[in-house]
């Protein structure tokens, strides 16, 4: 019995020590991640601001709104004179007076520069207080049509026919004749037109159409360094005479400005 027990013990010892597999736990080698610590050369792109050379047009500078009106509409008035024989000076003076130099309601909202009423008009209309409340006036898409309608209005009515027998540049005769023919009821209407024509030298536009434009020495183009005083000395004028001749309200000048330095004769 002792032998059997001894054999079993020896067998158990052999099995547990000799035949058991060793379990080895291998430590995982840490993975080495190479970090490139070299700073990249990040060159910031320089913003190159290309300043485009823009040519700024110097806006025209006018002494007043009437001067601006004349500059805008003188060409149209001259075209009407060539086509219909109405002095450009008269057309401009009437436009200035009746449209408040283009700032009146009828001219702003209806492009009607001459206060022409509807009569048999079939186009667009505007209502405005005049001799009576809310009278009907013609409305135009463009101011040039107002100037054309003014020409047609005068040439198409017999009561104005005598005016076309006058000299083409007789603005005084036209001013008086318009009122006499019933164009306006204001007794001072002729003198108002004549005053505007002479103050702003609107007769120069008549002279231009008729080929009687004054010589170049009647004008001076302002250059850098010019002053009213230096210009007046050059043309033997006083500063006040020069300002009155050009309807200037102050002493400001700009390069390229055209100044009249000799009155254009009225008796062309």
């Amino acid at each position: 019995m002792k032998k059997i027990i001894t054999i079993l013990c020896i067998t158990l010892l052999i099995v547990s020590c000799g035949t058991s597999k060793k379990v080895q736990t291998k430590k995982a080698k840490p993975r080495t991640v190479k970090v490139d610590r070299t700073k990249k050369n990040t060159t910031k792109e320089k913003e190159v601001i290309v300043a485009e050379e823009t040519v700024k047009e110097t806006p025209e500078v006018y002494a007043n709104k009437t001067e601006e009106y004349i500059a805008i509409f003188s060409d149209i008035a001259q075209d009407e004179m060539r086509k219909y024989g109405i002095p450009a000076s008269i057309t401009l003076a009437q436009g200035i007076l009746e449209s408040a130099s283009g700032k009146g309601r009828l001219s702003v909202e209806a492009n009607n520069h001459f206060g022409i009423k509807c009569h048999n008009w079939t186009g667009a209309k505007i209502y405005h207080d005049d001799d009576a409340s809310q009278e009907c006036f013609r409305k135009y898409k463009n101011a040039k049509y107002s100037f054309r309608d003014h020409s047609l209005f005068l040439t198409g009515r017999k009561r104005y026919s005598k005016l076309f027998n006058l000299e083409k540049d007789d603005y005084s005769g036209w001013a008086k004749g318009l009122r006499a023919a019933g164009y306006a009821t204001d007794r001072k209407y002729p003198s108002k037109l004549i005053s505007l024509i002479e103050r702003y030298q609107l007769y120069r536009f008549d002279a231009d159409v008729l080929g009687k434009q004054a010589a170049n020495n009647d004008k001076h183009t302002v250059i850098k360094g010019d002053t009213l005083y230096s210009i007046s000395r050059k043309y033997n004028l006083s500063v006040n005479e020069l300002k009155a001749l050009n309807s200037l309200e102050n002493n400001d000048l700009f390069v390229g400005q055209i100044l009249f330095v000799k009155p254009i004769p009225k008796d062309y």
Side-chain angles (χ1 to χ4, degrees):
M1 190 65 181
K2 288 182 179 180
K3 290 182 177 180
I4 294 172
I5 293 171
T6 301
I7 293 170
L8 288 173
C9 290
I10 292 170
T11 301
L12 290 172
L13 181 63
I14 293 172
V15 171
S16 61
C17 295
T19 61
S20 62
K21 294 183 179 179
K22 293 181 181 180
V23 179
Q24 294 181 351
T25 303
K26 294 182 179 180
K27 293 183 180 181
K29 293 182 179 181
R31 295 179 63 186
T32 304
V33 178
K34 292 183 179 181
V35 179
D36 185 4
R37 298 184 181 279
T38 304
K39 291 184 179 180
K40 293 182 180 179
N41 292 328
T42 57
T43 57
K44 294 183 179 180
E45 296 181 357
K46 295 181 180 180
E47 294 183 359
V48 180
I49 301 174
V50 179
E52 296 183 358
E53 188 175 347
T54 56
V55 180
K56 294 183 179 180
E57 294 185 2
T58 304
E60 292 288 345
V61 179
Y62 300 102
N64 51 54
K65 63 181 181 180
T66 301
E67 289 282 6
E68 183 178 12
Y69 185 92
I70 294 166
I72 294 171
F73 296 107
S74 58
D75 286 346
I76 296 176
Q78 286 183 304
D79 285 341
E80 295 303 306
M81 180 177 179
R82 294 184 184 99
K83 290 182 176 71
Y84 296 97
I86 302 166
S89 59
I90 286 291
T91 299
L92 284 170
Q94 286 189 285
I96 292 167
L97 182 61
E98 297 180 32
S99 73
S101 297
K103 304 301 181 183
R105 178 174 178 258
L106 288 178
S107 56
V108 172
E109 297 183 20
N111 285 313
N112 189 333
H113 286 237
F114 300 93
I116 300 178
K117 297 179 181 179
C118 290
H119 301 299
N120 297 321
W121 180 252
T122 58
K125 302 171 184 177
I126 185 172
Y127 293 89
H128 180 74
D129 292 345
D130 191 49
D131 296 328
S133 176
Q134 292 299 288
E135 290 190 87
C136 182
F137 290 84
R138 302 181 184 190
K139 185 175 183 179
Y140 306 93
K141 292 181 179 179
N142 189 295
K144 66 181 180 180
Y145 300 122
S146 174
F147 278 76
R148 176 54 51 86
D149 219 8
H150 170 262
S151 298
L152 295 175
F153 183 84
L154 294 180
T155 56
R157 286 163 173 74
K158 289 184 179 180
R159 57 179 171 158
Y160 301 117
S161 59
K162 291 182 179 179
L163 296 175
F164 294 90
N165 296 328
L166 298 171
E167 293 294 328
K168 298 297 182 183
D169 52 359
D170 184 4
Y171 62 85
S172 180
W174 267 83
K176 295 172 183 176
L178 282 168
R179 184 185 180 272
Y183 190 94
T185 57
D186 184 359
R187 290 186 303 168
K188 294 183 179 180
Y189 190 76
S191 63
K192 290 178 180 178
L193 293 182
I194 294 170
S195 176
L196 285 168
I197 291 170
E198 295 183 347
R199 178 182 178 186
Y200 294 100
Q201 298 186 16
L202 302 182
Y203 45 75
R204 69 185 186 265
F205 299 110
D206 300 339
D208 188 20
V209 172
L210 297 173
K212 299 178 180 179
Q213 182 68 351
N216 290 333
N217 59 3
D218 289 345
K219 297 179 182 178
H220 175 86
T221 302
V222 175
I223 61 175
K224 187 176 181 180
D226 273 347
T227 64
L228 286 177
Y229 179 72
S230 66
I231 297 170
S232 65
R233 288 288 299 272
K234 181 177 180 179
Y235 295 98
N236 196 27
L237 296 168
S238 69
V239 171
N240 287 336
E241 286 174 332
L242 184 59
K243 290 175 70 173
L245 196 58
N246 293 277
S247 303
L248 300 178
E249 296 181 348
N250 53 49
N251 296 338
D252 296 336
L253 297 176
F254 59 91
V255 174
Q257 183 176 5
I258 304 296
L259 296 178
F260 290 92
V261 294
K262 181 180 177 181
I264 298 175
K266 302 176 187 178
D267 55 346
Y268 269 147

